[in-house]
Amino acid sequence: MKRLFNTVGILFVIYCFLSLVINLINSTSLELPPNYGSECREYSLTDSLQNVEIQRIHHRTWKKYVYDSTYCLSYVLASEVVSPSTIFRNQLDNRERSYEKYWRNIYFELHQQDKDLVSFLQDSLENIATRAQLTRNELAKLIVSFVQDIPYSYVVQEPCGQRDRPCRGNEKFGILSPVEFLYTLAGDCDTRSVLLYSILKHFNFDPLIVISNEYRHAMIAVDLPAAGDHILHKGKKFYFWETTATGWLPGVLPPDTNNIAYWKITLDHEYQTLASRNR
């Protein structure tokens, strides 16, 4: 009888231990997308950057909107890939006087110049979406949340001077092209918007870039199932999407920029110039 009690006790201890291990495994798997957890654990929650003139290696880890999953990716960009885009931007000539058309020309030219250069990021995001089995709406949130997670930096034409956030000064037009942004991780509102415009168009979404002279601000608007703040365009509702901070969902304008009358469409997802058709 004593031997039986000992055997039962040992089995009970083994059972408790196995239960604990199984619970730990299950709780960990709930925090990450399917088959994606082990890779993300290798990343820091903040970006790691080798600040070398020849190439920069970025590791990005960010949370999805409900904060129950972590996404991650890494990429390498060489300065020789980025330099032509910088030269192109600095050589752009824009004499348009209309505020909306002035920025439309700049945004579209930067998009056209870099749309193929950001294919590495598009491939990485598509790979995440496939492995995590994301829906189309979840793919849009994956793309936008990746950009929202990059800390905000001013990009200005003049010297930076005293600023309350990181700043990149003496940049023509006060903007960086998509590949310059991914190289430096320095991006303000319209720098982010142009990158998102390019990526969302690649995945066959219908993005707009909207700007406000009154608010001195820019963001995207997307034709997605949503509710809230939107702009009507060609009979469809396009929902505003703030990109300069984490957590913003489509259809929610920040309280200090929520007068829709002050927002204008500067770049339509269908816009094409004659020059771009001939490229």
Side-chain angles (χ1 to χ4, degrees), residues 91-234:
Q91 291 178 343
L92 273 180
D93 184 23
N94 192 356
R95 301 181 184 181
E96 178 61 59
R97 294 187 177 183
S98 163
Y99 183 74
E100 288 84 15
K101 291 181 179 179
Y102 176 89
W103 287 111
R104 179 196 66 190
N105 293 348
I106 294 172
Y107 296 161
F108 185 75
E109 290 297 332
L110 296 180
H111 154 69
Q112 283 291 103
Q113 170 67 19
D114 281 10
K115 63 180 182 180
D116 295 329
L117 296 177
V118 298
S119 60
F120 67 90
L121 178 59
Q122 295 161 358
D123 292 343
S124 294
L125 292 169
E126 185 172 13
N127 183 49
I128 293 173
T130 300
R131 296 173 67 178
Q133 300 178 351
L134 300 184
T135 66
R136 181 168 174 78
N137 286 352
E138 288 171 338
L139 171 60
K141 291 178 180 179
L142 167 72
I143 294 167
V144 176
S145 63
F146 168 80
V147 173
Q148 289 175 333
D149 185 72
I150 300 173
Y152 182 90
S153 294
Y154 291 107
V155 182
V156 297
Q157 296 191 74
E158 65 278 1
C160 284
Q162 298 263 331
R163 301 269 179 172
D164 59 346
R165 294 187 186 184
C167 177
R168 191 175 180 92
N170 300 312
E171 298 289 358
K172 189 173 182 180
F173 303 120
I175 188 174
L176 296 181
S177 75
V179 77
E180 289 180 293
F181 176 32
L182 292 173
Y183 182 74
T184 62
L185 292 185
D188 56 359
C189 57
D190 52 0
T191 297
R192 295 162 183 264
S193 296
V194 176
L195 172 62
L196 284 170
Y197 178 88
S198 293
I199 297 175
L200 289 168
K201 274 182 67 71
H202 169 78
F203 286 105
N204 296 316
F205 291 98
D206 292 338
L208 308 175
I209 298 182
V210 293
I211 57 174
S212 170
N213 193 16
E214 290 80 5
Y215 294 133
R216 312 300 295 176
H217 196 29
M219 68 178 70
I220 60 168
V222 186
D223 175 23
L224 283 174
D229 300 315
H230 63 273
I231 190 168
L232 287 173
H233 181 60
K234 297 181 179 179

Side-chain angles (χ1 to χ4, degrees), residues 12 60 86 149 155 183 193 272 277:
F12 179 75
R60 302 299 305 167
T86 303
D149 185 72
V155 182
Y183 182 74
S193 296
Q272 282 191 321
R277 295 190 194 105

